[in-house]
């Protein structure tokens, strides 16, 4: 998997390149994170602990129509960091269908130190 991040003051564009498929989404928000992913809009509550940051799906709209709570996917989106590395784990399971997406890994973060 290859990951690209384009950050702007109001939003970030995440592009994930998987073998044979690219997934692009736009994330925005402050207290909650709103992810626009094609025709879907997902709203996540942020749950912080000492060791990690979790995103808990609290709302889903598809073509602007709300998803009924009983059909709401179960999403695990967790990040934890250490100096220079961000670890992530993402899984999505849909009632009646099962697992529809899942990936985990780490990103090497560039140093923010001035080389001079």
């Amino acid at each position: 998997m290859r990951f690209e991040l384009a950050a702007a003051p109001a939003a970030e564009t995440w592009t994930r390149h998987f073998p044979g498929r690219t997934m692009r989404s736009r994330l925005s928000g402050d207290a909650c994170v709103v992810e626009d992913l094609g025709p879907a809009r997902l709203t996540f509550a942020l749950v912080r602990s000492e060791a990690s940051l979790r995103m808990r799906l609290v709302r889903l709209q598809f073509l602007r129509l709300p998803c009924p709570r009983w059909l709401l996917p179960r999403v695990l989106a967790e990040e934890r960091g250490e100096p220079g590395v961000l670890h992530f784990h993402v899984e999505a399971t849909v009632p009646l269908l099962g697992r529809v997406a899942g990936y985990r890994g780490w990103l090497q973060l560039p140093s923010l130190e001035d080389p001079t």
Side-chain angles (χ1 to χ4, degrees), residues 46-98:
L46 299 176
V47 181
R48 190 173 17 166
S49 73
E50 279 187 40
S52 68
L53 175 67
R54 287 182 177 226
M55 295 171 53
R56 184 174 53 85
L57 184 64
V58 294
R59 184 173 185 203
L60 170 65
Q61 291 177 297
F62 189 78
L63 298 174
R64 297 187 183 235
L65 298 171
C67 176
R69 191 164 283 308
W70 66 270
L71 198 53
L72 197 65
R74 305 278 186 263
V75 176
L76 166 67
E78 183 177 46
E79 301 174 356
R80 62 181 173 77
E82 57 188 60
V85 180
L86 176 70
H87 297 271
F88 56 87
H89 180 192
V90 177
E91 281 193 36
T93 305
V94 175
L96 307 175
L97 290 179

Side-chain angles (χ1 to χ4, degrees), residues 5 8 16 28 30 33 41 50 57 78 80 91 109 116:
L5 171 65
R16 305 152 187 95
S28 60
D30 290 320
V33 172
R41 173 171 276 188
E50 279 187 40
L57 184 64
E78 183 177 46
R80 62 181 173 77
E91 281 193 36
L109 303 174
T116 59

Side-chain angles (χ1 to χ4, degrees), residues 1-5 80-88 104-112:
M1 173 189 164
R2 187 168 53 92
F3 174 78
E4 296 173 24
L5 171 65
R80 62 181 173 77
E82 57 188 60
V85 180
L86 176 70
H87 297 271
F88 56 87
R104 68 172 54 215
W106 53 271
L107 295 171
Q108 186 75 41
L109 303 174
S111 173
L112 298 178

Side-chain angles (χ1 to χ4, degrees), residues 13-30:
T13 300
W14 290 23
T15 306
R16 305 152 187 95
H17 300 278
F18 300 98
R21 182 171 169 90
T22 297
M23 186 171 96
R24 182 174 288 114
S25 62
R26 181 179 183 274
L27 286 84
S28 60
D30 290 320

